[in-house]
Amino acid sequence: MTDSILKTVDVNCAPDLAFEVFVNRVARWWPLDGHAVSAASGKAALAVTIEPHVGGAVYETMYNGERSDWGTVLEFVPGEKLAMTWHPGNNADNPTRVDVEFAATDDGKTRVTLTHSGWEVWGTDATDRRTSYDGGWDHVLGTCFVQGCMQDA
Amino acid sequence: MAYQKSLIALADPTRRLVFEAVAHAPSAVGQLAEALPVSRPAVSQHLKVLSDAGLIQAEAQGTRRIYSLRAAGLADLRAYLDQFWDQALQNYSDEVDRIVGEQNDRLDP
């Protein structure tokens, strides 16, 4: 259960457009009413933005217009690959990571593969993490989660 | 739903602190209030929200209640994220269909 989350979806267009929709139209398809920092206040977010370059910010425009940073773009190769750190709702010290790859299929579609990783890291230095109380969200999803799953096993 | 509750419960930074302290070591309310910059009544309130969300559990030891991590609650959280990506990517795929549809309409009036 500490494995990465791995998802694939085939979309009905070429990789360039698939990438374009993923990045530039993210606010059109992201579940703004559920998975957003605004949800903690029972509100829907107004938008999600992925700045289209390496080092660009990934952020939510909250229901009240404030900005909540979620991550930073690590790799940006139009039509091929997007990678970003991912830490909605907390400080950026210990982010997980989301990789999205776009590959053309034989029938003219694009296979999009999304990997949400970084949980494993939290198992290795769990002791250090647990002695400081500032790990926040990723500590919760990482160390604590891993710990919880190990108890399950 | 349990996982939605978990996320909302953990969105509060102070509550996250309380949660992490409990995850670090099973504790009573008094111990948590001593270790954290949070008043005892506030700790109790946070523990209640975390319990309601299924993230922690309480066990009576004599007159005290000891709070500890509830593994199934964390599994819910992971399951939530897993489902979340399914939903997000389905939405994304639908958006691609919408755009491709619009483009085709323009090409074939």
Side-chain angles (χ1 to χ4, degrees), chain A:
Chain A
M1 281 293 278
T2 63
D3 292 349
S4 302
I5 291 174
L6 180 65
K7 300 287 176 191
T8 59
V9 61
D10 287 355
V11 295
N12 295 316
C13 66
D16 283 349
L17 181 58
F19 185 91
E20 157 84 15
V21 172
F22 196 99
V23 173
N24 293 331
R25 298 182 69 121
V26 61
R28 293 285 302 268
W29 58 264
W30 192 273
L32 293 169
D33 55 344
H35 204 83
V37 175
S38 298
S41 308
K43 307 267 173 61
L46 298 179
V48 174
T49 304
I50 300 173
E51 290 180 348
H53 55 89
V54 171
V58 181
Y59 62 90
E60 165 188 345
T61 305
M62 293 176 64
Y63 67 94
N64 57 5
E66 282 179 31
R67 168 171 157 163
S68 172
D69 277 52
W70 287 5
T72 304
V73 175
L74 299 172
E75 290 179 56
F76 193 89
V77 186
E80 289 179 31
K81 169 137 203 207
L82 172 74
M84 55 194 173
T85 59
W86 205 78
H87 54 82
N90 81 332
N91 68 62
D93 291 348
N94 301 296
T96 54
R97 176 184 171 118
V98 174
D99 286 85
V100 193
E101 292 185 44
F102 302 80
T105 61
D106 292 340
D107 54 359
K109 297 182 180 183
T110 300
R111 171 151 298 176
V112 180
T113 306
L114 183 144
T115 313
H116 190 168
S117 62
W119 327 98
E120 317 80 36
V121 175
W122 296 89
T124 56
D125 57 355
T127 312
D128 288 346
R129 295 297 173 210
R130 274 186 251 127
T131 52
S132 71
Y133 287 138
D134 60 359
W137 187 241
D138 302 294
H139 173 74
V140 169
L141 289 179
T143 310
C144 298
F145 181 75
V146 168
Q147 204 178 49
C149 294
M150 284 177 354
Q151 285 171 2
D152 261 356

Side-chain angles (χ1 to χ4, degrees), chain B residues 6-51:
Chain B
S6 308
L7 282 178
I8 290 168
L10 292 171
D12 180 278
T14 308
R15 198 173 301 129
R16 223 155 44 209
L17 250 151
V18 173
F19 175 73
E20 289 175 12
V22 169
H24 172 52
S27 314
V29 179
Q31 291 172 303
L32 293 166
E34 253 171 55
L36 302 172
V38 186
S39 74
R40 192 178 165 122
V43 168
S44 294
Q45 185 55 36
H46 288 309
L47 288 171
K48 181 176 183 331
V49 176
L50 292 168
S51 297

Side-chain angles (χ1 to χ4, degrees), chain B residues 28-82:
Chain B
V29 179
Q31 291 172 303
L32 293 166
E34 253 171 55
L36 302 172
V38 186
S39 74
R40 192 178 165 122
V43 168
S44 294
Q45 185 55 36
H46 288 309
L47 288 171
K48 181 176 183 331
V49 176
L50 292 168
S51 297
D52 288 349
L55 287 166
I56 62 173
Q57 59 201 357
E59 194 187 333
Q61 267 184 20
T63 57
R64 299 196 306 174
R65 288 169 72 73
I66 304 295
Y67 291 87
S68 61
L69 201 63
R70 184 174 163 271
L74 295 166
D76 282 351
L77 202 54
R78 166 77 180 227
Y80 163 76
L81 271 179
D82 200 82

